[in-house]
Amino acid sequence: MIQTKGILHFSLPVSDLERSKKFFMDLLGCELVTQSPIMVFLKSGDDYFILVLSKKPIDPNVPGDVRVHHAFMVDHDKYDAAMETVTEAGIDIIRDEYRDTGAFTGRQFYFLDPDGNAIELIAFDGPGPGFQG
């Protein structure tokens, strides 16, 4: 077995790099690391992700579902302001909830990026009861 040490980055398929870069930088405060004609490398806290120009963006969820999503953490005292910022940007909140069971607990809400990728913002409380990790 290979023993990995963590995740360096994940990639999100997008149809318009500049539009998506603006979305993640202006709305979520992500930091630009570098970019090429087909990729934008961004940073959120100590973590990295890449926006990848795709001719066929992935559409893994049926309308209204957020099972396949990408979660970004926010401070507890910034959660309400984050939700307000998203709604003021004209973006619909799909679901807002407090979860005290399951793998990860905390207040969380979900919305879609310009390409329909589901995004979660969570005020993370920690692993849930029974989490085995």
Side-chain angles (χ1 to χ4, degrees):
M1 168 186 8
I2 297 170
Q3 185 61 50
T4 62
K5 299 180 353 178
I7 297 172
L8 176 60
H9 66 80
F10 62 88
S11 300
L12 287 171
V14 299
S15 61
D16 182 322
L17 282 176
E18 287 304 314
R19 177 184 68 180
S20 293
K21 178 175 83 171
K22 182 175 175 41
F23 177 87
F24 283 95
M25 291 179 69
D26 293 354
L27 186 69
L28 300 182
C30 296
E31 176 186 335
L32 178 65
V33 176
T34 190
Q35 80 179 75
S36 76
I38 60 169
M39 294 182 186
V40 173
F41 294 76
L42 296 170
K43 184 175 182 182
S44 173
D46 293 330
D47 305 307
Y48 299 90
F49 66 102
I50 303 170
L51 305 174
V52 180
L53 188 58
S54 175
K55 294 179 182 174
K56 185 177 184 259
I58 298 170
D59 187 11
N61 293 314
V62 297
D65 188 19
V66 292
R67 190 167 306 200
V68 178
H69 64 275
H70 307 284
F72 293 83
M73 295 183 288
V74 295
D75 290 329
H76 288 78
D77 62 345
K78 306 280 194 248
Y79 182 88
D80 291 325
M83 190 180 317
E84 186 175 320
T85 298
V86 169
T87 57
E88 285 177 353
I91 300 168
D92 293 330
I93 303 293
I94 298 169
R95 181 169 57 221
D96 173 28
E97 62 189 3
Y98 176 77
R99 188 174 299 156
D100 59 2
T101 61
F104 305 114
T105 63
R107 276 183 82 190
Q108 55 210 314
F109 70 94
Y110 300 83
F111 55 97
L112 300 179
D113 79 357
D115 285 288
N117 295 300
I119 305 297
E120 171 188 350
L121 291 186
I122 181 170
F124 183 56
D125 289 341
F131 179 76
Q132 297 179 20

PDB file of all heavy atoms in Angstrom, residues 24-51:
ATOM      1  N   PHE A  24     -14.224  32.953  -7.415  1.00  0.00           N
ATOM      2  CA  PHE A  24     -13.537  32.404  -6.250  1.00  0.00           C
ATOM      3  C   PHE A  24     -12.678  33.435  -5.530  1.00  0.00           C
ATOM      4  O   PHE A  24     -12.562  33.397  -4.305  1.00  0.00           O
ATOM      5  CB  PHE A  24     -12.719  31.165  -6.631  1.00  0.00           C
ATOM      6  CG  PHE A  24     -13.570  29.948  -6.810  1.00  0.00           C
ATOM      7  CD1 PHE A  24     -14.028  29.584  -8.058  1.00  0.00           C
ATOM      8  CD2 PHE A  24     -13.951  29.174  -5.720  1.00  0.00           C
ATOM      9  CE1 PHE A  24     -14.839  28.472  -8.231  1.00  0.00           C
ATOM     10  CE2 PHE A  24     -14.760  28.065  -5.873  1.00  0.00           C
ATOM     11  CZ  PHE A  24     -15.204  27.712  -7.135  1.00  0.00           C
ATOM     12  N   MET A  25     -12.107  34.377  -6.246  1.00  0.00           N
ATOM     13  CA  MET A  25     -11.296  35.398  -5.598  1.00  0.00           C
ATOM     14  C   MET A  25     -12.167  36.488  -4.969  1.00  0.00           C
ATOM     15  O   MET A  25     -11.962  36.846  -3.812  1.00  0.00           O
ATOM     16  CB  MET A  25     -10.311  36.004  -6.598  1.00  0.00           C
ATOM     17  CG  MET A  25      -9.214  35.033  -7.017  1.00  0.00           C
ATOM     18  SD  MET A  25      -8.052  35.720  -8.221  1.00  0.00           S
ATOM     19  CE  MET A  25      -7.214  36.938  -7.189  1.00  0.00           C
ATOM     20  N   ASP A  26     -13.128  36.997  -5.711  1.00  0.00           N
ATOM     21  CA  ASP A  26     -13.931  38.113  -5.215  1.00  0.00           C
ATOM     22  C   ASP A  26     -14.973  37.693  -4.193  1.00  0.00           C
ATOM     23  O   ASP A  26     -15.238  38.421  -3.240  1.00  0.00           O
ATOM     24  CB  ASP A  26     -14.619  38.837  -6.373  1.00  0.00           C
ATOM     25  CG  ASP A  26     -13.637  39.550  -7.285  1.00  0.00           C
ATOM     26  OD1 ASP A  26     -12.430  39.590  -6.974  1.00  0.00           O
ATOM     27  OD2 ASP A  26     -14.083  40.055  -8.339  1.00  0.00           O
ATOM     28  N   LEU A  27     -15.597  36.527  -4.380  1.00  0.00           N
ATOM     29  CA  LEU A  27     -16.647  36.094  -3.460  1.00  0.00           C
ATOM     30  C   LEU A  27     -16.079  35.336  -2.264  1.00  0.00           C
ATOM     31  O   LEU A  27     -16.471  35.584  -1.127  1.00  0.00           O
ATOM     32  CB  LEU A  27     -17.673  35.216  -4.191  1.00  0.00           C
ATOM     33  CG  LEU A  27     -18.889  34.818  -3.357  1.00  0.00           C
ATOM     34  CD1 LEU A  27     -19.772  36.036  -3.089  1.00  0.00           C
ATOM     35  CD2 LEU A  27     -19.691  33.734  -4.053  1.00  0.00           C
ATOM     36  N   LEU A  28     -15.147  34.412  -2.510  1.00  0.00           N
ATOM     37  CA  LEU A  28     -14.647  33.553  -1.431  1.00  0.00           C
ATOM     38  C   LEU A  28     -13.284  33.971  -0.890  1.00  0.00           C
ATOM     39  O   LEU A  28     -12.750  33.335   0.012  1.00  0.00           O
ATOM     40  CB  LEU A  28     -14.585  32.096  -1.898  1.00  0.00           C
ATOM     41  CG  LEU A  28     -15.915  31.485  -2.329  1.00  0.00           C
ATOM     42  CD1 LEU A  28     -15.733  30.027  -2.717  1.00  0.00           C
ATOM     43  CD2 LEU A  28     -16.963  31.624  -1.239  1.00  0.00           C
ATOM     44  N   GLY A  29     -12.686  35.015  -1.455  1.00  0.00           N
ATOM     45  CA  GLY A  29     -11.426  35.518  -0.938  1.00  0.00           C
ATOM     46  C   GLY A  29     -10.232  34.624  -1.189  1.00  0.00           C
ATOM     47  O   GLY A  29      -9.218  34.727  -0.499  1.00  0.00           O
ATOM     48  N   CYS A  30     -10.323  33.761  -2.184  1.00  0.00           N
ATOM     49  CA  CYS A  30      -9.194  32.888  -2.508  1.00  0.00           C
ATOM     50  C   CYS A  30      -8.085  33.716  -3.149  1.00  0.00           C
ATOM     51  O   CYS A  30      -8.328  34.750  -3.751  1.00  0.00           O
ATOM     52  CB  CYS A  30      -9.646  31.768  -3.445  1.00  0.00           C
ATOM     53  SG  CYS A  30     -10.864  30.682  -2.669  1.00  0.00           S
ATOM     54  N   GLU A  31      -6.861  33.227  -2.987  1.00  0.00           N
ATOM     55  CA  GLU A  31      -5.674  33.945  -3.451  1.00  0.00           C
ATOM     56  C   GLU A  31      -5.134  33.305  -4.726  1.00  0.00           C
ATOM     57  O   GLU A  31      -4.994  32.081  -4.799  1.00  0.00           O
ATOM     58  CB  GLU A  31      -4.623  33.883  -2.347  1.00  0.00           C
ATOM     59  CG  GLU A  31      -3.304  34.484  -2.663  1.00  0.00           C
ATOM     60  CD  GLU A  31      -2.291  34.238  -1.543  1.00  0.00           C
ATOM     61  OE1 GLU A  31      -2.702  34.034  -0.388  1.00  0.00           O
ATOM     62  OE2 GLU A  31      -1.093  34.232  -1.851  1.00  0.00           O
ATOM     63  N   LEU A  32      -4.807  34.135  -5.717  1.00  0.00           N
ATOM     64  CA  LEU A  32      -4.205  33.640  -6.954  1.00  0.00           C
ATOM     65  C   LEU A  32      -2.766  33.240  -6.683  1.00  0.00           C
ATOM     66  O   LEU A  32      -1.984  34.007  -6.127  1.00  0.00           O
ATOM     67  CB  LEU A  32      -4.245  34.726  -8.036  1.00  0.00           C
ATOM     68  CG  LEU A  32      -3.600  34.365  -9.371  1.00  0.00           C
ATOM     69  CD1 LEU A  32      -4.347  33.229 -10.057  1.00  0.00           C
ATOM     70  CD2 LEU A  32      -3.533  35.600 -10.265  1.00  0.00           C
ATOM     71  N   VAL A  33      -2.408  32.020  -7.106  1.00  0.00           N
ATOM     72  CA  VAL A  33      -1.038  31.541  -6.989  1.00  0.00           C
ATOM     73  C   VAL A  33      -0.328  31.735  -8.321  1.00  0.00           C
ATOM     74  O   VAL A  33       0.722  32.356  -8.391  1.00  0.00           O
ATOM     75  CB  VAL A  33      -1.003  30.053  -6.555  1.00  0.00           C
ATOM     76  CG1 VAL A  33       0.414  29.521  -6.526  1.00  0.00           C
ATOM     77  CG2 VAL A  33      -1.679  29.879  -5.198  1.00  0.00           C
ATOM     78  N   THR A  34      -0.919  31.222  -9.381  1.00  0.00           N
ATOM     79  CA  THR A  34      -0.393  31.384 -10.740  1.00  0.00           C
ATOM     80  C   THR A  34      -1.486  30.941 -11.705  1.00  0.00           C
ATOM     81  O   THR A  34      -2.492  30.371 -11.295  1.00  0.00           O
ATOM     82  CB  THR A  34       0.910  30.578 -10.952  1.00  0.00           C
ATOM     83  OG1 THR A  34       1.489  30.954 -12.207  1.00  0.00           O
ATOM     84  CG2 THR A  34       0.668  29.085 -10.925  1.00  0.00           C
ATOM     85  N   GLN A  35      -1.267  31.203 -12.978  1.00  0.00           N
ATOM     86  CA  GLN A  35      -2.221  30.710 -13.962  1.00  0.00           C
ATOM     87  C   GLN A  35      -1.544  30.482 -15.290  1.00  0.00           C
ATOM     88  O   GLN A  35      -0.485  31.028 -15.570  1.00  0.00           O
ATOM     89  CB  GLN A  35      -3.435  31.621 -14.084  1.00  0.00           C
ATOM     90  CG  GLN A  35      -3.304  32.857 -14.904  1.00  0.00           C
ATOM     91  CD  GLN A  35      -4.629  33.616 -14.928  1.00  0.00           C
ATOM     92  OE1 GLN A  35      -4.986  34.246 -13.947  1.00  0.00           O
ATOM     93  NE2 GLN A  35      -5.333  33.558 -16.028  1.00  0.00           N
ATOM     94  N   SER A  36      -2.174  29.641 -16.081  1.00  0.00           N
ATOM     95  CA  SER A  36      -1.732  29.353 -17.440  1.00  0.00           C
ATOM     96  C   SER A  36      -2.953  29.548 -18.335  1.00  0.00           C
ATOM     97  O   SER A  36      -4.035  29.852 -17.835  1.00  0.00           O
ATOM     98  CB  SER A  36      -1.200  27.914 -17.524  1.00  0.00           C
ATOM     99  OG  SER A  36      -2.274  26.989 -17.527  1.00  0.00           O
ATOM    100  N   PRO A  37      -2.820  29.353 -19.633  1.00  0.00           N
ATOM    101  CA  PRO A  37      -3.988  29.511 -20.498  1.00  0.00           C
ATOM    102  C   PRO A  37      -5.124  28.518 -20.210  1.00  0.00           C
ATOM    103  O   PRO A  37      -6.263  28.762 -20.580  1.00  0.00           O
ATOM    104  CB  PRO A  37      -3.418  29.286 -21.898  1.00  0.00           C
ATOM    105  CG  PRO A  37      -1.980  29.661 -21.793  1.00  0.00           C
ATOM    106  CD  PRO A  37      -1.571  29.226 -20.414  1.00  0.00           C
ATOM    107  N   ILE A  38      -4.827  27.413 -19.525  1.00  0.00           N
ATOM    108  CA  ILE A  38      -5.875  26.409 -19.279  1.00  0.00           C
ATOM    109  C   ILE A  38      -6.124  26.123 -17.807  1.00  0.00           C
ATOM    110  O   ILE A  38      -7.016  25.344 -17.470  1.00  0.00           O
ATOM    111  CB  ILE A  38      -5.560  25.081 -20.006  1.00  0.00           C
ATOM    112  CG1 ILE A  38      -4.227  24.505 -19.527  1.00  0.00           C
ATOM    113  CG2 ILE A  38      -5.587  25.271 -21.518  1.00  0.00           C
ATOM    114  CD1 ILE A  38      -3.965  23.078 -19.980  1.00  0.00           C
ATOM    115  N   MET A  39      -5.359  26.747 -16.884  1.00  0.00           N
ATOM    116  CA  MET A  39      -5.529  26.489 -15.454  1.00  0.00           C
ATOM    117  C   MET A  39      -5.304  27.754 -14.642  1.00  0.00           C
ATOM    118  O   MET A  39      -4.462  28.577 -14.983  1.00  0.00           O
ATOM    119  CB  MET A  39      -4.519  25.444 -14.964  1.00  0.00           C
ATOM    120  CG  MET A  39      -4.700  24.081 -15.527  1.00  0.00           C
ATOM    121  SD  MET A  39      -3.449  22.994 -14.795  1.00  0.00           S
ATOM    122  CE  MET A  39      -3.751  21.514 -15.736  1.00  0.00           C
ATOM    123  N   VAL A  40      -6.054  27.865 -13.539  1.00  0.00           N
ATOM    124  CA  VAL A  40      -5.844  28.918 -12.551  1.00  0.00           C
ATOM    125  C   VAL A  40      -5.608  28.218 -11.220  1.00  0.00           C
ATOM    126  O   VAL A  40      -6.460  27.453 -10.760  1.00  0.00           O
ATOM    127  CB  VAL A  40      -7.058  29.867 -12.457  1.00  0.00           C
ATOM    128  CG1 VAL A  40      -6.881  30.852 -11.310  1.00  0.00           C
ATOM    129  CG2 VAL A  40      -7.280  30.609 -13.769  1.00  0.00           C
ATOM    130  N   PHE A  41      -4.440  28.464 -10.623  1.00  0.00           N
ATOM    131  CA  PHE A  41      -4.086  27.864  -9.343  1.00  0.00           C
ATOM    132  C   PHE A  41      -4.451  28.858  -8.237  1.00  0.00           C
ATOM    133  O   PHE A  41      -3.963  29.989  -8.250  1.00  0.00           O
ATOM    134  CB  PHE A  41      -2.588  27.548  -9.293  1.00  0.00           C
ATOM    135  CG  PHE A  41      -2.163  26.491 -10.269  1.00  0.00           C
ATOM    136  CD1 PHE A  41      -2.031  26.774 -11.618  1.00  0.00           C
ATOM    137  CD2 PHE A  41      -1.901  25.196  -9.837  1.00  0.00           C
ATOM    138  CE1 PHE A  41      -1.631  25.807 -12.528  1.00  0.00           C
ATOM    139  CE2 PHE A  41      -1.506  24.214 -10.736  1.00  0.00           C
ATOM    140  CZ  PHE A  41      -1.372  24.515 -12.088  1.00  0.00           C
ATOM    141  N   LEU A  42      -5.291  28.418  -7.305  1.00  0.00           N
ATOM    142  CA  LEU A  42      -5.760  29.279  -6.227  1.00  0.00           C
ATOM    143  C   LEU A  42      -5.433  28.665  -4.872  1.00  0.00           C
ATOM    144  O   LEU A  42      -5.209  27.449  -4.758  1.00  0.00           O
ATOM    145  CB  LEU A  42      -7.268  29.502  -6.341  1.00  0.00           C
ATOM    146  CG  LEU A  42      -7.746  30.238  -7.582  1.00  0.00           C
ATOM    147  CD1 LEU A  42      -9.255  30.182  -7.699  1.00  0.00           C
ATOM    148  CD2 LEU A  42      -7.273  31.684  -7.569  1.00  0.00           C
ATOM    149  N   LYS A  43      -5.453  29.515  -3.846  1.00  0.00           N
ATOM    150  CA  LYS A  43      -5.170  29.082  -2.490  1.00  0.00           C
ATOM    151  C   LYS A  43      -6.272  29.580  -1.573  1.00  0.00           C
ATOM    152  O   LYS A  43      -6.720  30.727  -1.689  1.00  0.00           O
ATOM    153  CB  LYS A  43      -3.816  29.654  -2.052  1.00  0.00           C
ATOM    154  CG  LYS A  43      -3.345  29.204  -0.707  1.00  0.00           C
ATOM    155  CD  LYS A  43      -1.948  29.735  -0.439  1.00  0.00           C
ATOM    156  CE  LYS A  43      -1.466  29.235   0.908  1.00  0.00           C
ATOM    157  NZ  LYS A  43      -0.145  29.753   1.246  1.00  0.00           N
ATOM    158  N   SER A  44      -6.710  28.712  -0.666  1.00  0.00           N
ATOM    159  CA  SER A  44      -7.664  29.059   0.375  1.00  0.00           C
ATOM    160  C   SER A  44      -7.037  28.624   1.695  1.00  0.00           C
ATOM    161  O   SER A  44      -6.876  27.428   1.940  1.00  0.00           O
ATOM    162  CB  SER A  44      -8.994  28.322   0.151  1.00  0.00           C
ATOM    163  OG  SER A  44      -9.867  28.539   1.239  1.00  0.00           O
ATOM    164  N   GLY A  45      -6.651  29.583   2.524  1.00  0.00           N
ATOM    165  CA  GLY A  45      -5.910  29.231   3.736  1.00  0.00           C
ATOM    166  C   GLY A  45      -4.590  28.595   3.339  1.00  0.00           C
ATOM    167  O   GLY A  45      -3.825  29.160   2.562  1.00  0.00           O
ATOM    168  N   ASP A  46      -4.335  27.392   3.833  1.00  0.00           N
ATOM    169  CA  ASP A  46      -3.104  26.667   3.503  1.00  0.00           C
ATOM    170  C   ASP A  46      -3.316  25.649   2.391  1.00  0.00           C
ATOM    171  O   ASP A  46      -2.419  24.852   2.105  1.00  0.00           O
ATOM    172  CB  ASP A  46      -2.578  25.931   4.748  1.00  0.00           C
ATOM    173  CG  ASP A  46      -2.106  26.883   5.830  1.00  0.00           C
ATOM    174  OD1 ASP A  46      -1.642  27.993   5.491  1.00  0.00           O
ATOM    175  OD2 ASP A  46      -2.201  26.522   7.019  1.00  0.00           O
ATOM    176  N   ASP A  47      -4.483  25.638   1.783  1.00  0.00           N
ATOM    177  CA  ASP A  47      -4.847  24.609   0.814  1.00  0.00           C
ATOM    178  C   ASP A  47      -4.977  25.179  -0.593  1.00  0.00           C
ATOM    179  O   ASP A  47      -5.335  26.339  -0.772  1.00  0.00           O
ATOM    180  CB  ASP A  47      -6.165  23.942   1.237  1.00  0.00           C
ATOM    181  CG  ASP A  47      -6.078  23.401   2.655  1.00  0.00           C
ATOM    182  OD1 ASP A  47      -5.135  22.649   2.947  1.00  0.00           O
ATOM    183  OD2 ASP A  47      -6.938  23.760   3.479  1.00  0.00           O
ATOM    184  N   TYR A  48      -4.715  24.315  -1.571  1.00  0.00           N
ATOM    185  CA  TYR A  48      -4.711  24.727  -2.968  1.00  0.00           C
ATOM    186  C   TYR A  48      -5.808  24.011  -3.756  1.00  0.00           C
ATOM    187  O   TYR A  48      -6.182  22.887  -3.437  1.00  0.00           O
ATOM    188  CB  TYR A  48      -3.361  24.386  -3.619  1.00  0.00           C
ATOM    189  CG  TYR A  48      -2.204  25.081  -2.973  1.00  0.00           C
ATOM    190  CD1 TYR A  48      -1.529  24.490  -1.913  1.00  0.00           C
ATOM    191  CD2 TYR A  48      -1.772  26.320  -3.421  1.00  0.00           C
ATOM    192  CE1 TYR A  48      -0.452  25.130  -1.311  1.00  0.00           C
ATOM    193  CE2 TYR A  48      -0.697  26.963  -2.825  1.00  0.00           C
ATOM    194  CZ  TYR A  48      -0.044  26.355  -1.762  1.00  0.00           C
ATOM    195  OH  TYR A  48       1.012  26.989  -1.168  1.00  0.00           O
ATOM    196  N   PHE A  49      -6.281  24.682  -4.799  1.00  0.00           N
ATOM    197  CA  PHE A  49      -7.154  24.034  -5.776  1.00  0.00           C
ATOM    198  C   PHE A  49      -6.922  24.694  -7.124  1.00  0.00           C
ATOM    199  O   PHE A  49      -6.340  25.763  -7.220  1.00  0.00           O
ATOM    200  CB  PHE A  49      -8.622  24.051  -5.343  1.00  0.00           C
ATOM    201  CG  PHE A  49      -9.261  25.406  -5.283  1.00  0.00           C
ATOM    202  CD1 PHE A  49     -10.114  25.832  -6.294  1.00  0.00           C
ATOM    203  CD2 PHE A  49      -9.043  26.246  -4.214  1.00  0.00           C
ATOM    204  CE1 PHE A  49     -10.719  27.066  -6.233  1.00  0.00           C
ATOM    205  CE2 PHE A  49      -9.650  27.490  -4.146  1.00  0.00           C
ATOM    206  CZ  PHE A  49     -10.491  27.902  -5.159  1.00  0.00           C
ATOM    207  N   ILE A  50      -7.356  24.001  -8.162  1.00  0.00           N
ATOM    208  CA  ILE A  50      -7.104  24.455  -9.522  1.00  0.00           C
ATOM    209  C   ILE A  50      -8.420  24.544 -10.281  1.00  0.00           C
ATOM    210  O   ILE A  50      -9.236  23.615 -10.237  1.00  0.00           O
ATOM    211  CB  ILE A  50      -6.159  23.478 -10.259  1.00  0.00           C
ATOM    212  CG1 ILE A  50      -4.852  23.318  -9.490  1.00  0.00           C
ATOM    213  CG2 ILE A  50      -5.896  23.953 -11.680  1.00  0.00           C
ATOM    214  CD1 ILE A  50      -3.974  22.195 -10.020  1.00  0.00           C
ATOM    215  N   LEU A  51      -8.627  25.644 -10.962  1.00  0.00           N
ATOM    216  CA  LEU A  51      -9.723  25.770 -11.917  1.00  0.00           C
ATOM    217  C   LEU A  51      -9.160  25.328 -13.254  1.00  0.00           C
ATOM    218  O   LEU A  51      -8.139  25.855 -13.701  1.00  0.00           O
ATOM    219  CB  LEU A  51     -10.208  27.212 -11.990  1.00  0.00           C
ATOM    220  CG  LEU A  51     -10.627  27.857 -10.667  1.00  0.00           C
ATOM    221  CD1 LEU A  51     -10.951  29.327 -10.873  1.00  0.00           C
ATOM    222  CD2 LEU A  51     -11.793  27.110 -10.047  1.00  0.00           C
TER     223      LEU A  51
END
